[in-house]
Coordinates of all heavy atoms in Angstrom, one line a residue:
V1 N -144.2 9.9 93.0 CA -145.0 8.8 92.7 C -146.5 9.3 92.6 O -146.9 10.0 93.5 CB -144.9 7.7 93.8 CG1 -145.9 6.6 93.5 CG2 -143.5 7.2 93.9
T2 N -147.1 9.0 91.5 CA -148.5 9.3 91.4 C -149.4 8.1 91.7 O -149.2 7.0 91.2 CB -148.8 9.8 89.9 OG1 -147.9 10.9 89.6 CG2 -150.2 10.2 89.7
F3 N -150.4 8.3 92.5 CA -151.3 7.3 92.9 C -152.6 7.4 92.1 O -153.3 8.4 92.1 CB -151.7 7.3 94.4 CG -150.5 7.1 95.3 CD1 -149.9 8.2 95.9 CD2 -150.0 5.9 95.5 CE1 -148.8 8.0 96.7 CE2 -148.9 5.7 96.3 CZ -148.3 6.7 96.9
T4 N -153.0 6.4 91.3 CA -154.2 6.5 90.5 C -155.2 5.4 90.9 O -156.4 5.6 90.4 CB -153.8 6.2 89.0 OG1 -153.2 5.0 88.9 CG2 -152.9 7.3 88.5
G5 N -154.9 4.4 91.6 CA -155.9 3.4 92.0 C -156.5 3.7 93.4 O -156.4 4.8 93.9
D6 N -157.0 2.6 93.9 CA -157.6 2.7 95.3 C -156.5 3.0 96.3 O -155.4 2.5 96.2 CB -158.3 1.4 95.7 CG -159.6 1.2 94.8 OD1 -160.1 2.2 94.3 OD2 -159.9 0.0 94.7
R7 N -156.8 3.8 97.3 CA -155.9 4.0 98.4 C -156.5 3.5 99.7 O -157.7 3.7 99.9 CB -155.6 5.5 98.5 CG -154.7 6.0 97.4 CD -154.7 7.5 97.3 NE -155.3 7.8 96.0 CZ -156.0 8.9 95.7 NH1 -156.2 9.8 96.6 NH2 -156.5 9.0 94.5
H8 N -155.7 3.0 100.5 CA -156.2 2.4 101.8 C -155.5 3.0 103.0 O -154.3 3.0 102.9 CB -156.1 0.9 101.8 CG -156.8 0.2 100.7 ND1 -158.2 0.0 100.7 CD2 -156.4 -0.2 99.5 CE1 -158.5 -0.6 99.5 NE2 -157.4 -0.7 98.8
L9 N -156.2 3.4 104.0 CA -155.6 3.9 105.2 C -155.9 2.8 106.3 O -157.1 2.4 106.5 CB -156.2 5.2 105.6 CG -155.8 5.8 106.9 CD1 -154.4 6.1 107.0 CD2 -156.7 7.0 107.3
H10 N -154.9 2.4 107.0 CA -155.1 1.4 108.1 C -154.8 2.1 109.4 O -153.8 2.8 109.6 CB -154.2 0.2 107.9 CG -154.5 -0.5 106.6 ND1 -155.6 -1.4 106.5 CD2 -153.9 -0.4 105.4 CE1 -155.6 -1.9 105.2 NE2 -154.6 -1.3 104.6
A11 N -155.7 1.8 110.4 CA -155.5 2.4 111.7 C -156.0 1.3 112.7 O -156.7 0.4 112.4 CB -156.3 3.7 111.9
V12 N -155.6 1.5 114.0 CA -156.0 0.6 115.0 C -156.2 1.4 116.3 O -155.5 2.4 116.6 CB -154.9 -0.5 115.2 CG1 -153.6 0.0 115.7 CG2 -155.5 -1.6 116.2
L13 N -157.2 1.0 117.1 CA -157.4 1.5 118.4 C -157.5 0.4 119.4 O -158.3 -0.5 119.3 CB -158.8 2.3 118.4 CG -159.3 2.8 119.8 CD1 -158.3 3.9 120.3 CD2 -160.6 3.4 119.7
L14 N -156.5 0.4 120.3 CA -156.4 -0.7 121.3 C -156.9 -0.3 122.6 O -156.7 0.8 123.1 CB -154.9 -1.1 121.4 CG -154.2 -1.6 120.1 CD1 -152.7 -1.8 120.4 CD2 -154.9 -2.9 119.6
H15 N -157.6 -1.2 123.2 CA -158.1 -1.0 124.6 C -157.4 -2.0 125.5 O -157.1 -3.1 125.1 CB -159.6 -1.3 124.7 CG -160.5 -0.4 123.9 ND1 -160.8 0.8 124.3 CD2 -161.0 -0.6 122.7 CE1 -161.6 1.4 123.4 NE2 -161.7 0.6 122.4
S16 N -157.0 -1.5 126.7 CA -156.4 -2.4 127.7 C -157.0 -2.1 129.0 O -157.4 -1.0 129.3 CB -154.9 -2.3 127.7 OG -154.5 -1.0 128.1
F17 N -156.9 -3.1 129.9 CA -157.4 -3.0 131.2 C -156.3 -3.1 132.2 O -155.2 -3.7 131.8 CB -158.5 -4.1 131.5 CG -159.7 -3.9 130.6 CD1 -159.8 -4.7 129.4 CD2 -160.7 -3.0 130.9 CE1 -160.8 -4.6 128.6 CE2 -161.8 -2.9 130.0 CZ -161.8 -3.7 128.9
S18 N -156.4 -2.6 133.4 CA -155.3 -2.6 134.3 C -154.9 -4.1 134.6 O -155.7 -5.0 134.6 CB -155.7 -2.0 135.7 OG -156.8 -2.7 136.2
G19 N -153.6 -4.2 134.6 CA -153.0 -5.6 134.8 C -152.7 -6.3 133.5 O -152.0 -7.3 133.5
Q20 N -153.2 -5.8 132.4 CA -152.9 -6.4 131.1 C -151.6 -5.9 130.5 O -151.3 -4.7 130.6 CB -154.0 -6.2 130.1 CG -155.2 -7.0 130.3 CD -156.2 -6.7 129.2 OE1 -156.4 -5.6 128.7 NE2 -156.9 -7.8 128.8
S21 N -150.8 -6.7 129.9 CA -149.6 -6.3 129.2 C -150.0 -5.8 127.8 O -151.0 -6.2 127.2 CB -148.6 -7.4 129.1 OG -149.2 -8.5 128.3
Q22 N -149.2 -4.9 127.3 CA -149.5 -4.3 126.0 C -149.1 -5.2 124.9 O -148.1 -5.9 124.9 CB -148.7 -3.0 125.9 CG -149.2 -2.0 124.8 CD -148.4 -0.7 124.9 OE1 -147.2 -0.7 125.1 NE2 -149.2 0.4 124.6
A23 N -150.0 -5.3 123.9 CA -149.8 -6.2 122.8 C -148.6 -5.7 121.9 O -148.3 -4.5 121.8 CB -151.0 -6.3 121.9
S24 N -147.9 -6.7 121.3 CA -146.8 -6.3 120.4 C -147.4 -6.5 119.0 O -147.9 -7.5 118.6 CB -145.6 -7.2 120.6 OG -145.9 -8.6 120.4
L25 N -147.3 -5.4 118.2 CA -147.8 -5.4 116.9 C -146.7 -5.2 115.9 O -145.7 -4.6 116.2 CB -148.9 -4.3 116.7 CG -150.1 -4.4 117.6 CD1 -151.0 -3.2 117.4 CD2 -150.9 -5.7 117.3
S26 N -146.9 -5.7 114.7 CA -146.0 -5.5 113.6 C -146.8 -5.1 112.3 O -147.9 -5.5 112.1 CB -145.2 -6.8 113.3 OG -144.4 -7.1 114.4
L27 N -146.1 -4.3 111.5 CA -146.6 -4.0 110.1 C -146.0 -5.1 109.2 O -144.8 -5.2 109.1 CB -146.2 -2.6 109.7 CG -146.5 -2.3 108.2 CD1 -148.1 -2.2 108.0 CD2 -145.9 -1.0 107.8
V28 N -146.9 -5.9 108.6 CA -146.4 -7.0 107.7 C -147.0 -6.8 106.3 O -148.2 -6.6 106.2 CB -146.8 -8.3 108.3 CG1 -146.3 -9.5 107.4 CG2 -146.3 -8.5 109.7
A29 N -146.1 -6.8 105.3 CA -146.6 -6.7 103.9 C -145.9 -7.8 103.2 O -144.7 -8.1 103.3 CB -146.1 -5.4 103.3
R30 N -146.8 -8.6 102.5 CA -146.3 -9.7 101.7 C -146.8 -9.6 100.2 O -147.9 -9.3 100.0 CB -146.9 -11.0 102.2 CG -146.4 -11.5 103.6 CD -147.1 -12.8 103.9 NE -146.9 -13.1 105.4 CZ -147.7 -12.8 106.3 NH1 -148.9 -12.3 106.0 NH2 -147.5 -13.1 107.6
A31 N -145.9 -9.8 99.3 CA -146.2 -9.7 97.9 C -146.3 -11.1 97.3 O -145.6 -12.0 97.7 CB -145.2 -8.9 97.1
R32 N -147.3 -11.3 96.4 CA -147.4 -12.6 95.8 C -146.4 -12.6 94.6 O -145.8 -11.7 94.3 CB -148.8 -12.7 95.2 CG -149.9 -12.7 96.3 CD -151.2 -12.9 95.7 NE -152.2 -12.9 96.8 CZ -153.5 -13.3 96.6 NH1 -153.9 -13.6 95.4 NH2 -154.3 -13.3 97.6
Q33 N -146.3 -13.8 94.1 CA -145.3 -14.0 93.0 C -145.8 -13.2 91.8 O -146.9 -13.1 91.5 CB -145.3 -15.5 92.6 CG -144.2 -15.8 91.6 CD -144.1 -17.3 91.3 OE1 -144.9 -18.1 91.8 NE2 -143.1 -17.7 90.6
F34 N -144.8 -12.5 91.1 CA -145.0 -11.7 90.0 C -145.8 -10.4 90.3 O -146.4 -9.8 89.4 CB -145.6 -12.4 88.8 CG -144.9 -13.7 88.4 CD1 -145.6 -14.9 88.5 CD2 -143.6 -13.7 88.0 CE1 -144.9 -16.1 88.2 CE2 -142.9 -14.8 87.7 CZ -143.6 -16.0 87.8
S35 N -145.8 -10.0 91.5 CA -146.5 -8.7 91.9 C -145.6 -7.9 92.7 O -144.6 -8.3 93.3 CB -147.8 -9.0 92.6 OG -147.5 -9.6 93.9
S36 N -146.0 -6.6 92.9 CA -145.2 -5.7 93.7 C -146.1 -4.6 94.3 O -147.2 -4.4 93.8 CB -144.1 -5.1 92.9 OG -144.6 -4.3 91.9
M37 N -145.6 -4.0 95.3 CA -146.4 -2.9 96.0 C -145.4 -1.9 96.6 O -144.2 -2.3 96.9 CB -147.4 -3.4 97.0 CG -146.7 -4.0 98.3 SD -147.9 -4.6 99.5 CE -148.2 -6.2 98.9
L38 N -145.8 -0.7 96.7 CA -145.1 0.3 97.4 C -145.7 0.5 98.8 O -146.9 0.9 98.8 CB -145.1 1.6 96.6 CG -144.4 2.8 97.1 CD1 -142.9 2.5 97.2 CD2 -144.6 4.0 96.2
V39 N -144.9 0.3 99.8 CA -145.4 0.6 101.2 C -144.8 1.9 101.6 O -143.6 2.1 101.6 CB -144.9 -0.6 102.1 CG1 -145.4 -0.3 103.6 CG2 -145.4 -1.9 101.6
V40 N -145.7 2.8 102.0 CA -145.2 4.2 102.4 C -145.7 4.4 103.8 O -146.9 4.2 104.1 CB -145.8 5.3 101.4 CG1 -145.3 6.6 101.9 CG2 -145.4 5.0 100.0
I41 N -144.8 4.9 104.7 CA -145.1 5.2 106.0 C -144.9 6.7 106.2 O -143.8 7.2 105.8 CB -144.3 4.4 107.0 CG1 -144.6 2.9 106.9 CG2 -144.6 4.8 108.5 CD1 -143.7 2.0 107.7
G42 N -145.8 7.4 106.7 CA -145.6 8.9 106.9 C -146.9 9.5 107.5 O -147.7 8.9 108.1
K43 N -146.9 10.8 107.3 CA -148.0 11.6 107.9 C -149.0 12.1 106.8 O -148.5 12.5 105.7 CB -147.5 12.8 108.6 CG -146.7 12.5 109.8 CD -146.2 13.8 110.5 CE -145.2 13.5 111.6 NZ -144.6 14.7 112.2
I44 N -150.3 12.0 107.0 CA -151.2 12.5 106.0 C -151.4 14.0 106.4 O -151.8 14.3 107.5 CB -152.6 11.7 106.1 CG1 -152.4 10.3 105.8 CG2 -153.6 12.4 105.3 CD1 -153.6 9.4 106.0
V45 N -151.1 14.8 105.4 CA -151.1 16.3 105.6 C -152.3 16.9 105.0 O -152.7 18.1 105.4 CB -149.8 17.0 105.2 CG1 -148.6 16.5 106.0 CG2 -149.5 16.7 103.7
S46 N -153.0 16.3 104.1 CA -154.2 16.8 103.5 C -155.0 15.7 102.9 O -154.5 14.5 102.9 CB -153.9 17.9 102.5 OG -153.4 17.4 101.3
A47 N -156.1 16.0 102.3 CA -156.9 14.9 101.6 C -156.2 14.4 100.4 O -156.5 13.3 99.9 CB -158.2 15.5 101.2
T48 N -155.2 15.1 99.8 CA -154.6 14.6 98.6 C -153.1 14.4 98.7 O -152.5 14.0 97.7 CB -154.9 15.6 97.5 OG1 -154.3 16.9 97.9 CG2 -156.3 15.7 97.2
S49 N -152.5 14.6 99.9 CA -151.0 14.4 99.9 C -150.6 13.8 101.3 O -151.3 13.9 102.3 CB -150.3 15.8 99.8 OG -150.7 16.6 100.8
I50 N -149.5 13.1 101.2 CA -148.9 12.4 102.3 C -147.4 12.9 102.4 O -146.8 13.2 101.4 CB -148.9 10.9 102.2 CG1 -148.4 10.2 103.4 CG2 -148.2 10.4 100.9 CD1 -148.6 8.7 103.4
E51 N -146.9 13.1 103.6 CA -145.5 13.5 103.9 C -144.8 12.2 104.2 O -144.8 11.7 105.4 CB -145.5 14.5 105.0 CG -144.1 15.1 105.2 CD -144.2 16.1 106.4 OE1 -144.8 17.1 106.2 OE2 -143.6 15.8 107.4
P52 N -144.1 11.5 103.3 CA -143.5 10.2 103.5 C -142.3 10.3 104.4 O -141.5 11.3 104.3 CB -143.1 9.7 102.1 CG -143.0 10.9 101.3 CD -144.0 11.9 101.9
T53 N -142.2 9.4 105.3 CA -141.0 9.3 106.2 C -140.2 8.1 105.8 O -138.9 8.2 105.7 CB -141.5 9.0 107.7 OG1 -142.4 10.1 108.0 CG2 -140.3 9.1 108.6
F54 N -140.8 7.0 105.4 CA -140.1 5.8 105.0 C -140.9 5.1 103.8 O -142.1 5.3 103.8 CB -140.0 4.7 106.1 CG -139.3 5.2 107.3 CD1 -140.0 5.6 108.4 CD2 -137.9 5.3 107.3 CE1 -139.3 6.1 109.6 CE2 -137.2 5.8 108.4 CZ -137.9 6.2 109.6
A55 N -140.2 4.4 103.0 CA -140.9 3.7 101.9 C -140.1 2.5 101.5 O -138.9 2.4 101.7 CB -141.1 4.6 100.7
A56 N -140.8 1.5 101.0 CA -140.1 0.2 100.6 C -140.9 -0.4 99.5 O -142.1 -0.3 99.4 CB -140.0 -0.8 101.7
I57 N -140.2 -1.1 98.5 CA -140.9 -1.8 97.5 C -140.8 -3.3 97.9 O -139.8 -3.8 98.3 CB -140.1 -1.6 96.1 CG1 -140.2 -0.2 95.7 CG2 -140.7 -2.6 95.1 CD1 -139.4 0.1 94.5
V58 N -142.0 -3.9 97.9 CA -142.1 -5.3 98.3 C -142.6 -6.0 97.0 O -143.6 -5.6 96.4 CB -143.2 -5.5 99.4 CG1 -143.2 -7.0 99.8 CG2 -142.8 -4.7 100.6
Q59 N -141.8 -7.1 96.5 CA -142.1 -7.7 95.3 C -141.7 -9.2 95.3 O -140.9 -9.6 96.1 CB -141.4 -7.0 94.1 CG -139.9 -7.0 94.2 CD -139.2 -6.2 93.2 OE1 -139.8 -5.7 92.3 NE2 -137.9 -6.2 93.2
N60 N -142.4 -9.9 94.4 CA -142.1 -11.3 94.1 C -141.8 -12.2 95.4 O -140.7 -12.7 95.7 CB -140.8 -11.4 93.2 CG -141.1 -10.9 91.9 OD1 -142.2 -10.9 91.4 ND2 -140.1 -10.3 91.3
K61 N -142.9 -12.4 96.2 CA -142.9 -13.2 97.4 C -142.0 -12.6 98.5 O -141.7 -13.4 99.4 CB -142.4 -14.6 97.1 CG -143.4 -15.4 96.2 CD -143.0 -16.8 96.1 CE -143.9 -17.6 95.3 NZ -143.6 -19.1 95.2
D62 N -141.7 -11.4 98.5 CA -140.9 -10.7 99.6 C -141.9 -10.6 100.7 O -143.1 -10.5 100.6 CB -140.4 -9.3 99.2 CG -139.2 -9.4 98.3 OD1 -138.6 -10.5 98.2 OD2 -138.9 -8.3 97.7
E63 N -141.3 -10.5 101.9 CA -142.1 -10.1 103.1 C -141.4 -9.1 103.9 O -140.2 -9.2 104.2 CB -142.3 -11.4 104.0 CG -143.1 -11.1 105.3 CD -143.5 -12.3 106.1 OE1 -144.1 -13.2 105.5 OE2 -143.1 -12.3 107.3
L64 N -142.1 -8.0 104.2 CA -141.6 -6.9 105.0 C -142.2 -6.9 106.4 O -143.5 -7.0 106.5 CB -141.9 -5.6 104.3 CG -141.5 -4.3 105.0 CD1 -139.9 -4.2 105.1 CD2 -142.0 -3.1 104.3
N65 N -141.4 -7.0 107.4 CA -142.0 -7.1 108.8 C -141.3 -6.0 109.6 O -140.1 -6.0 109.9 CB -141.7 -8.5 109.4 CG -142.4 -8.7 110.7 OD1 -142.8 -7.8 111.3 ND2 -142.4 -10.0 111.1
I66 N -142.1 -5.0 110.1 CA -141.6 -3.9 110.9 C -142.3 -3.9 112.2 O -143.5 -3.7 112.3 CB -141.9 -2.6 110.2 CG1 -141.3 -2.5 108.8 CG2 -141.4 -1.4 111.0 CD1 -141.8 -1.3 107.9
P67 N -141.6 -4.2 113.3 CA -142.2 -4.1 114.6 C -142.6 -2.7 115.0 O -141.8 -1.7 114.7 CB -141.1 -4.6 115.6 CG -139.9 -5.0 114.7 CD -140.2 -4.6 113.3
L68 N -143.7 -2.5 115.6 CA -144.2 -1.2 115.9 C -144.0 -0.9 117.4 O -144.3 -1.7 118.2 CB -145.7 -1.1 115.6 CG -146.1 -1.3 114.1 CD1 -147.6 -1.3 113.9 CD2 -145.4 -0.3 113.2
E69 N -143.5 0.3 117.7 CA -143.3 0.7 119.1 C -144.6 1.5 119.4 O -144.9 2.5 118.8 CB -142.1 1.6 119.2 CG -140.8 0.9 119.0 CD -139.6 1.8 119.2 OE1 -139.8 2.9 119.7 OE2 -138.5 1.4 118.8
L70 N -145.3 1.0 120.4 CA -146.6 1.6 120.8 C -146.4 2.5 122.1 O -145.6 2.1 122.9 CB -147.6 0.5 121.1 CG -147.9 -0.4 119.9 CD1 -148.8 -1.5 120.4 CD2 -148.4 0.3 118.7
S71 N -147.2 3.5 122.2 CA -147.2 4.3 123.4 C -148.6 4.6 123.8 O -149.5 4.7 122.9 CB -146.4 5.6 123.3 OG -146.9 6.4 122.3
T72 N -148.9 4.7 125.0 CA -150.3 4.9 125.5 C -150.5 6.4 125.8 O -149.6 7.0 126.4 CB -150.5 4.1 126.8 OG1 -150.2 2.7 126.5 CG2 -151.9 4.2 127.3
I73 N -151.6 6.9 125.4 CA -151.9 8.3 125.7 C -152.4 8.3 127.2 O -153.2 7.5 127.6 CB -153.1 8.8 124.8 CG1 -152.6 8.8 123.4 CG2 -153.5 10.2 125.2 CD1 -153.7 9.1 122.4
P74 N -151.8 9.2 128.0 CA -152.1 9.2 129.4 C -153.5 9.7 129.7 O -154.1 10.4 128.9 CB -151.1 10.2 130.0 CG -150.7 11.1 128.9 CD -150.8 10.2 127.7
T75 N -154.1 9.2 130.8 CA -155.4 9.7 131.2 C -155.3 11.1 131.7 O -154.2 11.6 132.0 CB -156.0 8.8 132.4 OG1 -155.1 9.0 133.5 CG2 -156.0 7.3 132.0
P76 N -156.4 11.9 131.7 CA -156.3 13.2 132.2 C -155.6 13.4 133.6 O -154.8 14.3 133.8 CB -157.8 13.7 132.3 CG -158.4 12.9 131.2 CD -157.8 11.5 131.3
K77 N -155.9 12.4 134.5 CA -155.3 12.5 135.8 C -153.8 12.2 135.7 O -153.0 12.9 136.4 CB -156.0 11.4 136.7 CG -155.4 11.5 138.2 CD -156.1 10.5 139.1 CE -155.6 10.5 140.5 NZ -154.2 10.7 140.8
E78 N -153.4 11.2 134.9 CA -152.0 10.9 134.8 C -151.2 12.1 134.2 O -150.1 12.5 134.6 CB -151.8 9.7 133.9 CG -152.2 8.4 134.5 CD -152.2 7.2 133.6 OE1 -152.3 7.5 132.3 OE2 -152.0 6.1 134.0
F79 N -151.9 12.8 133.2 CA -151.3 14.0 132.6 C -151.1 15.1 133.6 O -150.1 15.7 133.7 CB -152.1 14.4 131.4 CG -151.5 15.6 130.7 CD1 -150.5 15.4 129.8 CD2 -152.1 16.9 130.8 CE1 -149.9 16.5 129.1 CE2 -151.5 17.9 130.2 CZ -150.4 17.8 129.3
K80 N -152.2 15.3 134.4 CA -152.1 16.4 135.4 C -151.0 16.1 136.4 O -150.3 17.0 136.8 CB -153.5 16.5 136.1 CG -153.6 17.6 137.1 CD -154.9 17.6 137.8 CE -155.0 18.7 138.9 NZ -156.2 18.7 139.6
D81 N -150.9 14.9 136.9 CA -149.9 14.5 137.9 C -148.5 14.7 137.3 O -147.6 15.1 138.0 CB -150.1 13.0 138.3 CG -151.3 12.8 139.2 OD1 -151.9 13.8 139.6 OD2 -151.7 11.7 139.3
A82 N -148.3 14.3 136.0 CA -147.0 14.5 135.4 C -146.6 16.0 135.3 O -145.5 16.4 135.5 CB -147.0 13.9 134.0
I83 N -147.6 16.8 134.9 CA -147.3 18.3 134.8 C -147.0 18.9 136.2 O -146.1 19.7 136.3 CB -148.5 19.0 134.2 CG1 -148.8 18.5 132.7 CG2 -148.4 20.5 134.2 CD1 -147.6 18.8 131.8
E84 N -147.8 18.5 137.2 CA -147.5 19.0 138.6 C -146.1 18.6 139.1 O -145.5 19.3 139.8 CB -148.6 18.5 139.5 CG -149.9 19.2 139.3 CD -151.0 18.6 140.2 OE1 -150.8 17.7 141.0 OE2 -152.1 19.2 140.2
S85 N -145.7 17.4 138.7 CA -144.4 16.9 139.2 C -143.2 17.7 138.5 O -142.1 17.7 139.1 CB -144.2 15.4 138.9 OG -144.1 15.2 137.5
L86 N -143.5 18.4 137.4 CA -142.4 19.2 136.8 C -142.2 20.5 137.5 O -141.2 21.1 137.4 CB -142.8 19.5 135.3 CG -142.9 18.3 134.4 CD1 -143.4 18.7 133.0 CD2 -141.5 17.6 134.3
S87 N -143.2 21.0 138.2 CA -143.1 22.3 138.8 C -142.7 22.3 140.3 O -142.2 21.4 140.8 CB -144.4 23.1 138.8 OG -145.5 22.4 139.0

């Protein structure tokens, strides 16, 4: 697939405080009537290429809803404690 138009990269950074539950997020793509789009999920490997993992065509009022599994990056102390527990 050759991309000739605008390209958009979407990202999110979530903050949480102790005692808060983690938000549940979904990737949602909706196409209008008589339109279509290609949704590609993968890794960006350079400024001009992507390594696709999954792809879907959404067209003619379709809706694609993918629940996202989130994980939290540990704090330096949590990481150190986890490494120490392995030895």
